[in-house]
Amino acid sequence: MEFEVAYSLDNEQQFWDELDDIVSTHCQTHALIDNALRAYLSFTTNYKGEYLHSEYDIARCSYKLLDSPLFVAHKDYVRRQIVYSLLQEDAVDTLHLIVSFLLYDGRQNEITFEMINEEGGFPRLLELVLCRNDDGAGLHRLLLELLYEMSRIQRLRTEELTLIEDDFIIYLFQIIEELTDDVNDPYHYPVIRVLLVLNEQYMVSTHDPGPDQTPTSPLTNKVIKILSLHGSVYKTFGENIILLLNRESETSLQLLILKLLYLLFTTRSTYEYFYTNDLRVLVDVMIRNLLDLPSDSTALRHTYLRVLYPLLAHTQLQQAPHYKREELLKLLNMMTNARSAHFGAVDETTSRLVGRILRVPWLKEEDEETETGRAEVANRMLGADLLGMELGKARESTLSVVEVAAHKEKPGVQTPSREKSGARLVINEVVTRGTSVDGPSDQNMVNGVVLEAAGNGVTLGTDGKVLGDEKSPFEVEGEA
């Protein structure tokens, strides 16, 4: 029997006061807890149209329950009952309150996301994301965020990944194409993050098969598959992940983007997925990020270098005119110079990765360069060979793809930045010395897009707006 109580409210304050009373109920039995939860959902959904006008109001309802004596005293039971409601409920307004609660609770306690998965929540979220796009942007965005958060903190089982159909991935790409080119659009970030985290799940499953997966039945990475077959239709996604890499300060999100870039640049059918001008923007972003990383950010630097090699070797950048060749050589020389005050001591992995990049044909020292320059490169490459570091192409390097797939960082960890003015001078000298493809200039322009060193980011846009110094308007949690 449904638990229903009649309410008569005159104003918004009465709504919040009554909600406080409902969630403050002291319950000693599961039946009483169930009644209180039904009252919470019934009350909030009945008055949603009247008093809950924004996502802030929906979130406020969620935190009323999260901070309540009812939840504090019976956390596990309340969570599980609301997870069961997610699996069974179809009413739009009720789903909105349920998904909001689970999302905000899970961000504070990852056990909630684990519980959703244990109870079969992944296929349910796939279904809701695919079918609830017409029920309001607020609910759909929360569903995308819940799917992302649940997938980033735990490894999905093979049976769950096999439930993802091509149509689901195509649907997500289509959402991005249908939106504006503004990365601040409320839909852009959640949709892109879902695609990034699913790509990582496929990547980990392929290179570190779980106990439920046989070596003879590898999963197809549906994200790469769709971009391989229909990449020319979904260019907006590529443009946005480059912009997000530039502006993202959270390490785990940078890693998600780098993992996808690595696969795109080491899969023959997606070598030329990006527009050439976007690749040039990416080169600038990567140069600056590598220079901006402190000397102790070794693992992240290695991942950037693993992506940089196929970017330079396999894409349109290998064609003349060669973009930022001098800056790249200067950066690589600095990274392998033991006397460099900027990078400090050189580890063997960095030497190996840099040596491989220097083998890219268009980066090799040319005849007009000095004998000293050629000798330095030769000695560096010889040293790498003597240490047994020759790897060949990135696509053939098992070590690189495994390392890229395995590199993780805890959610919320921010990528450190060099703040000292001396470091900034080095960065400015390399990034903005004015070596555009058309010759020297005071600041580099790529078809009207300004790129210049500024804080933790570079200026991307014709309006001079700095992306990277500003905080993202969305909460960014990253991967596990």
Side-chain angles (χ1 to χ4, degrees), residues 310-326:
L311 166 63
L312 302 179
H314 296 159
T315 69
Q316 306 96 292
L317 293 179
Q318 62 185 308
Q319 302 168 8
H322 297 134
Y323 185 71
K324 289 294 178 76
R325 180 179 178 277
E326 292 184 9

Side-chain angles (χ1 to χ4, degrees), residues 103-358:
L103 177 64
Y104 292 119
D105 180 35
R107 284 176 172 170
Q108 298 177 10
N109 308 275
E110 291 185 351
I111 189 175
T112 301
F113 297 139
E114 295 170 356
M115 184 182 294
I116 294 172
N117 197 34
E118 291 170 2
E119 297 295 340
F122 183 76
R124 174 62 170 165
L125 287 175
L126 291 180
E127 173 195 350
L128 290 173
V129 167
L130 194 58
C131 301
R132 294 290 179 173
N133 191 22
D134 296 330
D135 292 330
L139 172 58
H140 200 247
R141 181 176 61 81
L142 290 180
L143 286 167
L144 288 164
E145 291 185 0
L146 184 58
L147 177 59
Y148 164 75
E149 298 284 5
M150 191 196 77
S151 301
R152 75 175 176 81
I153 61 97
Q154 60 195 318
R155 179 169 180 168
L156 298 176
R157 296 184 293 271
T158 302
E159 61 194 60
E160 292 163 340
L161 290 174
T162 56
L163 295 174
I164 303 174
E165 301 288 347
D166 289 4
D167 288 345
F168 181 79
I169 302 299
I170 291 173
Y171 168 70
L172 296 180
F173 280 124
Q174 287 176 339
I175 291 176
I176 297 171
E177 290 299 319
E178 292 168 0
L179 298 173
T180 67
D181 57 2
D182 178 10
V183 291
N184 291 321
D185 189 295
Y187 263 150
H188 257 121
Y189 216 40
V191 177
I192 290 171
R193 291 198 299 177
V194 168
L195 288 166
L196 290 174
V197 79
L198 291 180
N199 172 75
E200 185 199 38
Q201 289 283 350
Y202 284 123
M203 198 172 184
V204 171
S205 176
T206 298
H207 299 287
D208 183 21
D212 61 333
Q213 182 180 352
T214 62
T216 57
S217 59
L219 287 172
T220 299
N221 185 329
K222 298 294 181 66
V223 177
I224 299 299
K225 174 185 176 182
I226 298 306
L227 289 179
S228 296
L229 296 174
H230 311 291
S232 61
V233 181
Y234 303 123
K235 293 286 193 178
T236 302
F237 172 75
E239 296 168 3
N240 283 335
I241 62 174
I242 292 175
L243 290 174
L244 290 175
L245 179 63
N246 172 66
R247 72 185 302 173
E248 191 54 64
S249 61
E250 189 170 3
T251 304
S252 57
L253 261 295
Q254 290 188 41
L255 288 172
L256 281 179
I257 297 169
L258 289 171
K259 289 176 182 181
L260 178 62
L261 291 174
Y262 181 87
L263 288 185
L264 291 174
F265 297 145
T266 56
T267 302
R268 187 174 299 277
S269 56
T270 55
Y271 281 177
E272 298 188 1
Y273 164 65
F274 293 93
Y275 292 116
T276 302
N277 287 334
D278 291 335
L279 293 176
R280 291 170 179 168
V281 172
L282 180 58
V283 168
D284 280 280
V285 172
M286 295 190 73
I287 289 176
R288 194 190 186 290
N289 285 357
L290 280 167
L291 285 165
D292 198 36
L293 286 175
S295 56
D296 57 354
S297 298
T298 306
L300 183 56
R301 183 178 297 108
H302 291 167
T303 302
Y304 268 100
L305 290 173
R306 288 188 169 99
V307 175
L308 184 60
Y309 171 76
L311 166 63
L312 302 179
H314 296 159
T315 69
Q316 306 96 292
L317 293 179
Q318 62 185 308
Q319 302 168 8
H322 297 134
Y323 185 71
K324 289 294 178 76
R325 180 179 178 277
E326 292 184 9
E327 285 80 0
L328 287 164
L329 287 173
K330 182 173 182 178
L331 169 66
L332 297 171
N333 286 330
M334 288 172 59
M335 295 183 73
T336 52
N337 186 348
R339 297 185 299 275
S340 172
H342 188 82
F343 288 105
V346 182
D347 62 279
E348 290 187 359
T349 300
T350 296
S351 295
R352 171 171 56 81
L353 295 173
V354 169
R356 179 169 58 181
I357 296 171
L358 287 170

Side-chain angles (χ1 to χ4, degrees), residues 454-467:
N456 283 337
V458 297
T459 304
L460 294 176
T462 56
D463 58 358
K465 183 178 180 181
V466 176
L467 302 181

